[in-house]
Amino acid sequence: SQRFILAKDAKTFKRLWRKNIPNNQVLVNGKYILYRYRNLERQWFGAFEAHTGKHVYESLTGGAIEDWRILDRNTIILFCNNSFACAEDFPLSYWHEARNVKDGTILWRRATEDFAGINGRGRDLYLTLKSHVLRVDGRTGNTLSRSDFPDSIFVFDYDDFVLLSHQSREQGFVLKAVDKKTSKELWASRETANVSGAPLLIDNLLYFGTGEAEFYCISAKTGRTVWKHRRETATENTPI
């Protein structure tokens, strides 16, 4: 079977255009439809005009795209890894890069870690490395702040604060809240275990499961546990 991109008029549902793109994934960003596809040794990234289907550009990436996210009307963020044989001479193993939506040119590129993913809201991105988290401007790649940690880190972003979940040999699992404007630590909790999935925030309460089969409700303002329940199995996804 062949995969393709099909555009239809929203009012009449008549077909406007069709493009055959093998193994494709797409994002819509205003007037452009961005796509990516790969085979065993190559990854392509490109764009069509949404209304006409006109091909705007296509280019090879330095490695495989693991994740992508539209930052704004002009910028898309890619999270990539150096898994292709053709990229053996590429100096980075994992990295984030920003590209111009209109022509695909690289705006900036920074090294990260294999578990980093794309974290952040709006223009802010959080890049995880072995011992610290960097908050960077998604449009420029410039560092806005840095938080140091002894071991692996996972980032969960909210409107006013960021949750940082990490594990160290000395302290075990630690969950910290950091103010987004000041980068100051608001609270730290060692009561919770390994957080699985992004905690759900409702009315200043955070709900999440853990790899130790416990489900927590904690205060987003203080980090104190409101209640917890033991489950038969671990929770791996975000509550809804």
Side-chain angles (χ1 to χ4, degrees), residues 69-131:
R69 197 198 84 188
I70 292 173
L71 184 74
D72 55 34
R73 186 174 297 180
N74 301 311
T75 315
I76 184 170
I77 305 298
L78 307 179
F79 173 51
C80 306
N81 72 69
N82 186 358
S83 61
F84 293 146
C86 64
E88 290 180 352
D89 296 330
F90 197 72
L92 302 178
S93 297
Y94 294 88
W95 67 93
H96 285 75
E97 65 184 38
R99 290 184 177 242
N100 187 304
V101 168
K102 296 180 180 179
D103 57 19
T105 55
I106 296 175
L107 303 175
W108 58 264
R109 178 181 281 160
R110 298 190 64 156
T112 45
E113 299 295 331
D114 58 348
F115 53 81
I118 299 179
N119 299 296
R121 292 184 177 186
R123 288 183 57 173
D124 288 356
L125 296 176
Y126 293 86
L127 309 185
T128 55
L129 288 91
K130 287 185 178 179
S131 60

Side-chain angles (χ1 to χ4, degrees), residues 27-47:
L27 286 176
V28 180
N29 186 31
K31 63 179 294 187
Y32 298 102
I33 293 179
L34 308 171
Y35 67 88
R36 74 191 216 219
Y37 68 93
R38 61 183 290 186
N39 59 22
L40 295 177
E41 295 184 349
R42 296 287 190 275
Q43 174 92 61
W44 285 266
F45 170 78

